Amino acid sequence: MLRQIWIVSVLNFKSLKSRFWQSMVIVVGLAATVGVMLSMLSVSTGMRQAYYASGDPNRAIVVTKGVEQEAQSAITRDKAPLIAVAPGIAKDTDGKPLADRTLMTSVPLLRKDGSKGFTTMRGLSDKGLGVRPEIKIVAGRMFQPGKREMIAGVGAQVMFQHMQIGDKVILPDGEWPIVGIYKTGDQLEGQLLGDTETLLTALHKPAYTTMLVRLASPASLDTFKKAMTTNPALSVDVVRHSDWYKRVGDQQTFALALLGYVVGTVMAIGALFGCLNTMYAAVASRAREIATLRAIGYGAFAVAMSVILEAVALSVTGALIGAAIAWALYDGVEGSFGVSVFKLTVSPALFGMAILWAMAVALLGGLLPSFRAARRPVVEALRAT
């Protein structure tokens, strides 16, 4: 049986020269479908990977109980000291706990294309750099506590205008000059940083947004979490920082990924009908050849499988071309969405998914034509030609 399938399939592929342009309908259709879908998914994939690479398993974030976003959280001034002295927190060289009182606010800015946008300005306290050692000043200097100064991430420079040292950002209490540029290698690069207490005063905020602490060790999370959740004076949730970013990344990219799959599905349906019509035409043009093979003893199953294999080969070829084009055009390209800066990513997993989509289209598009080729009476096929 396998030998028959092989021989009939080889004959099919040899006849492709005479059906070249007809067969290209399948190849081009799948290339377009996969290329568009992967170019859209490269945004959600790159953004998700950037979130997954953010955070640190050696840190924990403390937020108001039940909230899903940092901006929804509020840690009052009187609660912050209770959190900072909890067991499980690492100590700085001066013996004080590495606990950072943070504040988040949105800052309106102009994008590079001139459109209006916004990014996050985050406040750091005196222990901020100890909690986040990945913050490295690459130009200028660090902001000074108590002063209306900020530093901009290298990602913010990619997205927005007027992000150079000496430029000024307008906040409700006036101008805040940019005195330095920093990099972190994660999502923080798309933001601005300033002094927490100065920001609280300038924005008339009564509470911090979150508390970020460096754990004594990754295993210390349970100790710290138990101290937080059993303290009747506190109503907070504690999450490992890396897990928090993974959760946020999934939330932020879900809609983008869904849109990519919806568009890909619509285009795949069009490619499916193209595959169906092409394979019907191929079976009709090879009616005499198929009838002859049946007459000399080749089984109906071998004939049907050869039609499906041809559809699979053409579809997978088109999918690989489309995936290669998407990879060449988008993989590694700097991108941004909202306040996130990341590199578009056409991952090996997306290549694998493209092949699976192509095979699904080929199986659905080649199934009915294969039945027609296998079940058509030999005598009728010979007479028709």
Side-chain angles (χ1 to χ4, degrees):
M1 179 62 68
L2 292 177
R3 183 173 180 275
Q4 287 191 3
I5 294 174
W6 170 255
I7 292 174
V8 179
S9 297
V10 169
L11 291 174
N12 279 11
F13 292 124
K14 285 184 176 180
S15 69
L16 281 177
K17 290 182 179 179
S18 62
R19 300 181 283 112
F20 177 79
W21 293 111
Q22 186 182 69
S23 301
M24 286 299 291
V25 171
I26 298 177
V27 175
V28 173
L30 264 298
T33 298
V34 168
V36 171
M37 183 172 67
L38 263 58
S39 66
M40 297 182 69
L41 291 179
S42 68
V43 178
S44 60
T45 302
M47 189 173 172
R48 184 182 299 111
Q49 288 186 359
Y51 271 107
Y52 280 20
S54 299
D56 186 337
N58 290 306
R59 290 195 292 253
I61 185 170
V62 183
V63 298
T64 306
K65 192 174 184 63
V67 306
E68 295 292 329
Q69 301 289 335
E70 282 188 69
Q72 300 169 347
S73 177
I75 306 293
T76 57
R77 287 177 178 272
D78 61 315
K79 305 301 182 191
L82 299 178
I83 297 171
V85 298
I89 300 178
K91 298 294 193 295
D92 203 353
T93 53
D94 60 3
K96 294 181 180 179
L98 286 170
D100 183 27
R101 304 177 302 278
T102 68
L103 179 69
M104 284 181 61
T105 187
S106 294
V107 178
L109 297 170
L110 286 178
R111 294 185 176 276
K112 290 288 189 179
D113 61 5
S115 62
K116 293 181 179 180
F118 69 94
T119 192
T120 296
M121 184 168 182
R122 187 182 295 271
L124 298 183
S125 66
D126 57 335
K127 295 300 180 182
L129 292 181
V131 175
R132 296 179 180 267
E134 68 273 17
I135 298 175
K136 306 295 182 184
I137 301 296
V138 295
R141 61 173 175 81
M142 186 64 179
F143 61 82
Q144 295 182 15
K147 291 189 175 182
R148 296 185 301 178
E149 297 177 342
M150 65 177 63
I151 57 176
V154 294
Q157 288 188 308
V158 172
M159 288 192 296
F160 302 107
Q161 301 178 24
H162 312 304
M163 287 286 105
Q164 304 302 320
I165 295 175
D167 290 335
K168 295 178 174 61
V169 176
I170 306 301
L171 290 181
D173 72 328
E175 297 178 339
W176 286 55
I178 296 174
V179 297
I181 306 298
Y182 71 90
K183 66 184 305 182
T184 58
D186 60 17
Q187 288 291 302
L188 205 65
E189 289 184 353
Q191 302 178 14
L192 305 172
L193 303 180
D195 178 57
T196 295
E197 298 301 329
T198 308
L199 272 171
L200 279 173
T201 302
L203 300 176
H204 307 290
K205 296 283 188 179
Y208 307 112
T209 306
T210 62
M211 289 279 287
L212 189 66
V213 304
R214 178 158 289 276
L215 299 169
S217 71
S220 300
L221 177 66
D222 290 338
T223 301
F224 177 64
K225 188 173 183 177
K226 182 177 180 181
M228 292 293 94
T229 55
T230 57
N231 189 333
L234 298 173
S235 179
V236 296
D237 286 328
V238 177
V239 183
R240 195 180 298 275
H241 202 209
S242 53
D243 293 341
W244 175 269
Y245 267 107
K246 288 179 181 179
R247 181 200 300 176
V248 174
D250 289 339
Q251 293 171 347
Q252 295 290 333
T253 59
F254 175 78
L256 286 174
L258 180 61
L259 179 61
Y261 286 120
V262 169
V263 172
T265 300
V266 172
M267 295 187 69
I269 292 172
L272 170 62
F273 283 107
C275 180
L276 188 68
N277 291 334
T278 299
M279 296 314 299
Y280 266 129
V283 169
S285 66
R286 296 177 56 242
R288 179 181 289 276
E289 177 187 323
I290 293 172
T292 301
L293 290 171
R294 293 289 310 284
I296 61 177
Y298 284 82
F301 181 75
V303 171
M305 283 301 300
S306 71
V307 174
I308 292 177
L309 288 175
E310 179 182 332
V312 169
L314 293 173
S315 297
V316 169
T317 299
L320 289 175
I321 292 173
I325 292 173
W327 178 82
L329 292 178
Y330 298 104
D331 190 64
V333 174
E334 290 282 351
S336 63
F337 187 85
V339 299
S340 300
V341 180
F342 51 90
K343 291 185 182 296
L344 305 185
T345 303
V346 181
S347 64
L350 290 183
F351 268 81
M353 185 194 66
I355 293 174
L356 291 176
W357 274 61
M359 292 180 68
V361 169
L363 291 174
L364 294 173
L367 195 59
L368 293 178
S370 70
F371 285 165
R372 181 181 180 86
R375 299 179 63 181
R376 191 176 186 186
V378 175
V379 175
E380 177 184 327
L382 289 171
R383 285 176 179 174
T385 56

